[in-house]
Amino acid sequence: MPAAADYSIVSMIELKTALDIKETNDEQERLLSLLIPGVSSQIETFLNRPVVARVYTSEAYDGDGTDTLLLPAPIIAVTSLINDGTTILAVDYWVYKKTGKVQLKNTVFEDEPQAVVVTHRSGWEPNDIPADIRVAAIMAIKDSYHKIKDDRLGLLSVTQGDQTFSYAQGLPGEVRDILRPYRISGAG
């Protein structure tokens, strides 16, 4: 079985550097090795888009009778575009990489379910991931790491004397605030 693709937003080395971790034991290594891809996946889900570049092979999309199709942004390249069984040449459409828009020049996408089939590469190459997304990933990993180490995972609140301390679930609010400008509209 082939190894799972690595769509981690930050590397172990970047994380250790950012968190000023000089030495780790096997337990810490295993925990960080789980948190990096786990938090990366949470971030991509929150953003409703890929962060780390990947190839989408023969992805089917619904046509809507317009000349525009939206793909996950940013688009690195479109290598194949088929509209209702007809291959569209690259000279017959524009690709707006930053927004994920593909626009036909002289026709429209057939108004049928799954009528458009596209092979494309979308996301950011690892060295091109925006710094604020990387920082947000490090912050979220650090938060999850400390929740596990402090035995607070799944804990909603703690009362000590007359004070109650509440803990955020999922991505921390400050992380979501950093990520929000990259979020695809319509994301839940």
Side-chain angles (χ1 to χ4, degrees), residues 19-39:
L19 300 180
D20 197 29
I21 298 173
K22 305 233 183 309
E23 294 181 29
T24 56
N25 59 38
D26 288 345
E27 179 186 338
Q28 287 173 312
E29 286 280 336
R30 283 191 299 275
L31 179 54
L32 293 173
S33 293
L34 289 171
L35 290 174
I36 292 170
V39 167

Side-chain angles (χ1 to χ4, degrees), residues 6 8-21 32 36 40 52 125-131 133-135 137-139 141:
D6 183 9
S8 297
I9 294 171
V10 295
S11 69
M12 180 70 77
I13 293 169
E14 290 172 307
L15 181 62
K16 287 180 178 181
T17 300
L19 300 180
D20 197 29
I21 298 173
L32 293 173
I36 292 170
S40 296
V52 180
E125 296 297 353
N127 291 333
D128 296 331
I129 296 170
I133 293 178
R134 294 175 106 72
V135 167
I138 290 167
M139 290 170 62
I141 293 165

Side-chain angles (χ1 to χ4, degrees), residues 33-55:
S33 293
L34 289 171
L35 290 174
I36 292 170
V39 167
S40 296
S41 178
Q42 285 181 319
I43 288 173
E44 288 191 338
T45 298
F46 176 78
L47 295 177
N48 199 31
R49 68 162 66 200
V51 173
V52 180
R54 67 202 62 180
V55 174

Side-chain angles (χ1 to χ4, degrees), residues 30-93:
R30 283 191 299 275
L31 179 54
L32 293 173
S33 293
L34 289 171
L35 290 174
I36 292 170
V39 167
S40 296
S41 178
Q42 285 181 319
I43 288 173
E44 288 191 338
T45 298
F46 176 78
L47 295 177
N48 199 31
R49 68 162 66 200
V51 173
V52 180
R54 67 202 62 180
V55 174
Y56 295 83
T57 304
S58 300
E59 290 282 312
Y61 296 89
D62 296 341
D64 63 0
T66 70
D67 64 353
T68 302
L69 177 70
L70 289 177
L71 300 176
I75 299 172
I76 296 167
V78 173
T79 55
S80 171
L81 177 61
I82 300 169
N83 183 23
D84 197 31
T86 302
T87 299
I88 308 296
L89 300 175
V91 296
D92 292 326
Y93 59 89

Side-chain angles (χ1 to χ4, degrees), residues 116-130:
V116 183
V117 179
V118 187
T119 297
H120 60 98
R121 184 169 172 81
S122 292
W124 286 278
E125 296 297 353
N127 291 333
D128 296 331
I129 296 170

